[in-house]
Amino acid sequence: MLAKKTAKERRIEKALRAQLAIKGADLEHYSDLLSDYMDLWRTKNKLILDIEKRGVNYQEVNSTGNKVWKNNSSVKELVMVNRQMLAILKELKLSTDDAAGGEDDDL
């Protein structure tokens, strides 16, 4: 079951789709890439929440019962997700140069 989209997510997706339409690129292939981008956007936010909750490093009890510090893998994953998000925007040829004046109060 898919999670309900937030108002912020709907605004971001709408703005990106509008930019594609302005470019005449509102084709199925590009729409699918934009859907992938939004999936990554949701993943990015979950990774950020995990980092906020557990921190960059966290303490865990290992198999021998000793407490050890571990790097939170969400930090590395966040970098990779952001990189992929930027690659999709580049493929779609969307940038801040293309942004039409819109409501971006909390984007």
Side-chain angles (χ1 to χ4, degrees):
M1 181 175 182
L2 295 174
K4 185 177 177 183
K5 292 181 180 181
T6 64
K8 184 176 184 178
E9 181 179 353
R10 285 190 304 273
R11 285 193 310 271
I12 291 170
E13 187 171 3
K14 183 179 177 182
L16 292 172
R17 288 194 186 281
Q19 288 184 42
L20 283 178
I22 289 168
K23 290 176 163 289
D26 49 347
L27 305 169
E28 193 170 332
H29 169 72
Y30 297 122
S31 181
D32 190 50
L33 275 175
L34 185 53
S35 293
D36 291 346
Y37 177 88
M38 294 310 299
D39 289 341
L40 289 167
W41 183 84
R42 284 186 292 280
T43 300
K44 174 196 70 138
N45 289 323
K46 290 176 186 175
L47 291 168
I48 290 169
L49 287 174
D50 180 60
I51 295 166
E52 288 174 352
K53 179 181 174 185
R54 295 193 301 162
V56 174
N57 299 303
Y58 62 95
Q59 202 169 34
E60 183 176 274
V61 178
N62 67 12
S63 60
T64 61
N66 297 318
K67 288 184 179 180
V68 294
W69 283 96
K70 292 192 166 198
N71 292 328
N72 186 341
S73 62
S74 291
V75 174
K76 184 177 179 181
E77 296 294 323
L78 180 60
V79 171
M80 289 189 292
V81 167
N82 276 326
R83 186 175 294 137
Q84 188 60 37
M85 289 174 71
L86 290 170
I88 290 172
L89 289 177
K90 185 176 181 179
E91 176 69 23
L92 294 173
K93 295 180 177 44
L94 297 178
S95 71
T96 55
D97 296 338
D98 302 324
E103 297 179 31
D104 62 350
D105 50 11
D106 63 347
L107 293 181

